[in-house]
Amino acid sequence: MRELTEKIVIEGKSIVKDFQLGDTRTRVLKSISLKVSQGEFVSIMGQSGSGKSTLLYILGGLDTPTSGAVFLNGIDISKLGDEKMSRIRRQNIGFVFQFYNLIPNLNVEENIMLPLLLDGKKMRDYKNELGEILEVVGLSDRRKHTPRELSGGQQQRVAIARALIGKPQILFADEPTGNLDSRTGADIMNLLQEINQESRQTIIMVTHSPEAAKSSSRIITVSDGIIA
């Protein structure tokens, strides 16, 4: 395993998450603490209902803990308002989900650039970055294709490129191979491993697949709301 820097980019401290349904309160996360260093590729594993995806969403700022805190570069993001948190997500965080969430009538280039365009950036200012990321994900010859003209694996590559175009500090992936066949899923994991190793991209991934988790440098297992 390659040597990692000691810089902690994200830290969860005593994260608790409760969900209320009528009169019933369910504790999904039970005081979870963890640290992730710059350049790590961490897999979070667990059975369905273990709380692994809830933990990922809280670490990524898509959800807030009932108690506890999440520190990104030393800043407690769990205490930020919507506007500041949205800005941090745009500038520091990339997300890849099981479902690709591409815009059907936009081509590959436009789908990749969408987060930057929504942030007020101009496509012409990112020609070099766009060309580089298309090369990385192996879609240089598909840049003008729409999602309906792509395979599932190619669509997930577009989603990965979209998450990386803004050069996020952390890439969060929630079951990125869950909607793919085993061979295509292996290709996607090889791509994520390559991105992690060559650019030292920090990746935190939720997966139920032991095969997918083998691509990571560390595995965290969540069971019944705690780290096993």
Side-chain angles (χ1 to χ4, degrees), residues 111-143:
N111 267 290
I112 291 172
M113 284 297 299
L114 188 59
L116 295 180
L117 297 177
L118 293 174
D119 206 25
K121 306 293 195 307
K122 302 296 183 184
M123 198 161 181
R124 62 176 178 269
D125 296 330
Y126 286 84
K127 285 185 178 180
N128 291 337
E129 289 86 349
L130 182 59
E132 289 172 3
I133 198 65
L134 282 166
E135 186 71 26
V136 167
V137 300
L139 291 175
S140 297
D141 60 342
R142 296 286 191 271
R143 59 197 306 154

Side-chain angles (χ1 to χ4, degrees), residues 5-213:
T5 65
E6 291 299 321
K7 180 183 179 183
I8 303 299
V9 293
I10 193 160
E11 178 179 6
K13 287 189 175 181
S14 303
I15 297 172
V16 171
K17 183 63 178 181
D18 296 336
F19 288 105
Q20 188 81 32
L21 182 60
D23 295 330
T24 304
R25 179 181 291 269
T26 302
R27 179 149 295 181
V28 177
L29 299 179
K30 306 167 184 175
S31 195
I32 284 183
S33 296
L34 74 165
K35 297 178 181 179
V36 177
S37 298
Q38 177 67 44
E40 274 198 283
F41 186 167
V42 176
S43 286
I44 302 174
M45 297 192 69
Q47 298 294 325
S48 296
S50 63
K52 60 186 185 297
S53 291
T54 300
L55 176 61
L56 186 81
Y57 296 154
I58 288 175
L59 292 174
L62 293 179
D63 199 357
T64 56
T66 302
S67 64
V70 176
F71 293 90
L72 178 64
N73 298 321
I75 298 172
D76 185 357
I77 63 173
S78 54
K79 299 293 194 295
L80 298 180
D82 290 343
E83 185 176 344
K84 288 183 179 179
M85 191 62 241
S86 293
R87 184 167 65 249
I88 284 179
R89 281 197 298 267
R90 291 196 305 269
Q91 297 174 354
N92 297 89
I93 294 171
F95 276 98
V96 177
F97 298 98
Q98 177 177 346
F99 299 99
Y100 323 121
N101 298 322
L102 303 181
I103 307 300
N105 60 333
L106 299 183
N107 64 29
V108 167
E109 287 184 338
E110 293 164 340
N111 267 290
I112 291 172
M113 284 297 299
L114 188 59
L116 295 180
L117 297 177
L118 293 174
D119 206 25
K121 306 293 195 307
K122 302 296 183 184
M123 198 161 181
R124 62 176 178 269
D125 296 330
Y126 286 84
K127 285 185 178 180
N128 291 337
E129 289 86 349
L130 182 59
E132 289 172 3
I133 198 65
L134 282 166
E135 186 71 26
V136 167
V137 300
L139 291 175
S140 297
D141 60 342
R142 296 286 191 271
R143 59 197 306 154
K144 297 300 182 182
H145 288 60
T146 58
R148 65 178 62 91
E149 300 173 293
L150 304 176
S151 68
Q154 289 171 331
Q155 290 185 60
Q156 190 63 295
R157 287 171 180 265
V158 176
I160 292 170
R162 180 182 58 193
L164 292 173
I165 188 66
K167 300 186 183 304
Q169 190 169 20
I170 304 175
L171 176 66
F172 290 94
D174 186 14
E175 299 282 9
T177 64
N179 208 32
L180 303 171
D181 62 75
S182 57
R183 181 175 178 177
T184 305
D187 290 341
I188 292 298
M189 291 315 306
N190 288 337
L191 173 62
L192 289 176
Q193 189 175 49
E194 180 181 326
I195 290 168
N196 168 250
Q197 293 178 346
E198 294 191 2
S199 64
R200 292 188 58 76
Q201 173 69 56
T202 306
I203 301 175
I204 303 177
M205 175 182 73
V206 158
T207 182
H208 68 277
S209 167
E211 287 301 314

